[in-house]
Amino acid sequence: MTTDSCTYVIFGATGNLAKLKLIPGFYHLELENKLPDDTRIIAVGRRPWDKQTWTAEVKRFLIEKSGQGLDETIFAKFSARLEYHRGNLDEAECYQALATNVNNQPQFSKNMAFYLAISPGDFSTVIENLSLVALLSEEYGWRRVIIEKPIGYDLESAKALQKRLERHLTEEQIYRIDHYLGKGMVQNVLVFRFANVMLEPLWNRNYIDHIQITHAEDIGIGGRGEYYDGAGAMRDMLQSHLLQLLTLVAMEPPVSMDAEGLRDEKVKVLKSIRPIPKSAVHAHAFRAQYSKGTVKGEKVGGYLDEANIPGDSTTETYAALKVLIDNWRWRGVPFYLRTGKRLAAGQSSISICFRHPPLQFFRDTPVDCMNPNWVLLGIQPEECIRMEMTVKEPGLEMRTRTTSLDASFRNADERQVDAYEDLLLDVMKGDRSLFLRFDEVEYAWRIVDPILQYWATERDYIATYPAGSWGPTESQRLFEKEGQFWRNSLLPDNQ
């Protein structure tokens, strides 16, 4: 795909997302010489700045993020792309002046991408105002709008937002970003599955016992108290990121790797997930909240001690979910998903547990209970593919141990690419394969909505777990077999 030059307009350019992810992402694309010459980046903000002030700010937080100086030649080239447009999102003059500027100045490409790095409550206002000044019209070039999660608060609000977007945009113009899908290791899941034919015959209910998908964080909620208390772990991580990972692991091979082929297969997985009625919520889902504890040797307070959190809050900071996929490949194989704050370590991983081997062959030996094979996909911070196998220990007796085959994902001299770099570039290419189609969003909400509605009626009590632990031991009840357990490490037990 060719990368078109474009005018990138960032609403919310002075916020944390732009500061920590978007501007550094653009700068690294400049370093890699990936930005077409005519690309310009317009920051929209309320602060009384001009281009010079904005450029100085950009330089400051690029240095802060990298912890080192910048290549002055590269930054000079990059800063020439930067513009600052002062205005309030809720004032028509802001959009009229923006339209006049980009339409009359020859340096601005007619291809335009609008990144809404703002509160979801402001999406409709910005899009409606852009439409009023014809900035969403594709008469002279393409126009694309990028929106961040949360995409709705529940199924009904997601549908309502979609209706408002449809008044001014086609589905092809909407890029719903899930930065998790931009991570190199997540994309490697697709390559691992579909480019290695030796695993395909085993990737089904006949050989796989269960699959776990974990996103654990050792940090708390930081300064996001007001947002987080209204969202919780299920909405913040599980409904979006983890269900997306599930679709990549469980999907059938797509007809092709183009956007629609890929997303069609992901939607089929979500549609095949067995609905969880409210009467079965306790058997399929568990929630808890962190209490005070110790993380990395430092004592930390509980969730109720955080700023802007009501003392009687029952918002979950840990959510675990068991889902079953009713299709030919996966029927009877449970998928366990969990996410939590203030856990023992920060890591994201996919753990695939294979069935136990038959033991008749070893019945007259000391080998009585071999560990099952695992395939482990580390997403962050360790990016790896690891296969655990049983081997015989050296010596005269028939004893076994677990060893692992490791596939290095990145060579030592290869740079780690931030997810946003890939996604910003994909917008310019028009590649929507790593962005969400609305039916993906809709069916993900259908899965978790009954759980959230049931939890909303249980306001008197929520289980707790000490900060620095691996979460509540009660979540073990979700497992269907005695030998199933949460996999917390990417290393074998004997290492």
Side-chain angles (χ1 to χ4, degrees), residues 198-222:
M198 64 182 178
L199 282 172
E200 177 56 28
L202 310 179
W203 210 262
N204 57 57
R205 57 190 167 88
N206 297 322
Y207 297 96
I208 291 178
D209 181 71
H210 72 277
I211 293 176
Q212 298 179 28
I213 301 175
T214 295
H215 177 81
E217 298 179 54
D218 53 12
I219 59 173
I221 60 170

Side-chain angles (χ1 to χ4, degrees), residues 30 45 49 62 94 152 160 188 261 289 295-296 302 314 319 357 394 434 462 466-467 484 487:
E30 186 76 85
W49 291 349
L62 284 175
C94 170
N188 214 17
Q289 191 182 89
V295 178
K296 295 180 178 177
T314 54
L434 295 178
I462 184 169
Q484 293 176 349
R487 177 81 192 226

Side-chain angles (χ1 to χ4, degrees), residues 166-180:
E166 285 175 344
R167 292 177 195 155
H168 309 287
L169 297 163
T170 65
E171 179 64 23
E172 288 70 30
Q173 289 179 280
I174 305 171
Y175 285 66
R176 300 174 189 85
I177 199 166
D178 184 339
H179 67 269
Y180 228 67

Side-chain angles (χ1 to χ4, degrees), residues 15-70:
N16 277 341
L17 175 62
K19 176 180 176 180
L20 299 176
K21 295 293 184 182
L22 303 185
I23 297 299
F26 280 120
Y27 181 69
H28 282 117
L29 290 175
E30 186 76 85
L31 282 171
E32 299 287 334
N33 201 29
K34 297 289 188 184
L35 293 177
D37 289 341
D38 294 338
T39 298
R40 296 290 184 273
I41 303 162
I42 302 177
V44 179
R46 288 177 296 181
R47 300 181 187 182
W49 291 349
D50 55 15
K51 175 182 170 69
Q52 186 177 357
T53 309
W54 172 238
T55 302
E57 283 293 308
V58 167
K59 187 172 187 178
R60 181 179 64 81
F61 54 66
L62 284 175
I63 291 172
E64 279 182 7
K65 184 170 174 64
S66 66
Q68 59 190 30
L70 305 178

